[in-house]
Amino acid sequence: LPVSVGWHPGHYVASTSLSCAAPEKCAAQARSEWKTALMSDGNLKGARAVYTWHDLEIAQGEYNFTVIDDDIEYLRSLNPSYRLIIEIWTRDFSRKAAVPKTPQDSREAGVPDYLIDAGGAVVNYNGVCAAVWRPVVMRRVVALHEALATRYDGNRAVEAVHTDEFAPPKPTTEDPTYSSAGAWAQWQVLMRAM
């Protein structure tokens, strides 16, 4: 049977709140920005919110989507037709004042702690990135997206789920497992899985 996919083209307000220091403050700041923009422009369809992988997967295979649920509820309280675009970051450059020397120096970054501990993250210029060119790491990215699909597929309040940029997060130190081609191949694994 054909599957109906809905897309509601238009403009979505994007928050800049991920640059704040604490996730709970980020959510409050984002909602304030959304309300101001949405109430002043009747052409907006909803909001785009950024969530770090770290904040959603609190332990391997254990997910906490409460902040997404709260954002959906908040948007719907403003207008039942508003929709949320969920953006997942597998890297984080915004919360730390100093560039970490090792991934372990950067807890609460974009990458879950269990992956940092298992070598699934690298320092990249001014932050920490998931080593998505490694198949074991990409399997975990796919698992997160599968969990999101299980939770939100068919939820009319969720417009889309997308992952941060596809630019390969080349590590700043030599990593024999890294290659641009390998990174691109792993992003294709994610695209095929979705």
Side-chain angles (χ1 to χ4, degrees), residues 72-111:
I72 291 169
E73 186 177 322
Y74 179 75
L75 278 175
R76 292 302 188 135
S77 75
L78 297 176
N79 182 329
S81 68
Y82 286 154
R83 297 172 185 278
L84 180 67
I85 295 176
I86 299 168
E87 180 174 338
I88 306 301
W89 278 14
T90 60
R91 56 190 82 199
D92 189 76
F93 303 127
S94 60
R95 295 188 192 183
K96 301 295 176 188
V99 176
K101 290 181 177 43
T102 70
Q104 288 75 15
D105 293 339
S106 186
R107 295 294 178 206
E108 299 179 19
V111 183

Side-chain angles (χ1 to χ4, degrees), residues 12-18 26-27 29-31 33-34 47-50:
Y12 290 77
V13 62
S15 172
T16 58
S17 65
L18 197 66
C26 293
Q29 182 179 333
R31 292 177 189 144
E33 291 173 13
W34 294 348
R48 176 190 62 109
V50 174

Side-chain angles (χ1 to χ4, degrees), residues 97-176:
V99 176
K101 290 181 177 43
T102 70
Q104 288 75 15
D105 293 339
S106 186
R107 295 294 178 206
E108 299 179 19
V111 183
D113 289 346
Y114 77 89
L115 272 178
I116 290 174
D117 293 338
V122 296
V123 172
N124 173 276
Y125 304 106
N126 61 347
V128 173
C129 300
V132 294
W133 58 89
R134 298 178 187 157
V136 67
V137 175
M138 185 51 74
R139 281 194 296 274
R140 297 307 315 150
V141 174
V142 169
L144 170 63
H145 282 76
E146 288 171 342
L148 286 162
T150 297
R151 176 88 170 207
Y152 297 109
D153 190 32
N155 183 328
R156 293 183 177 274
V158 176
E159 182 64 16
V161 175
H162 78 92
T163 303
D164 56 7
E165 63 183 276
F166 282 172
K170 186 176 181 180
T172 54
T173 58
E174 223 22 66
D175 181 343

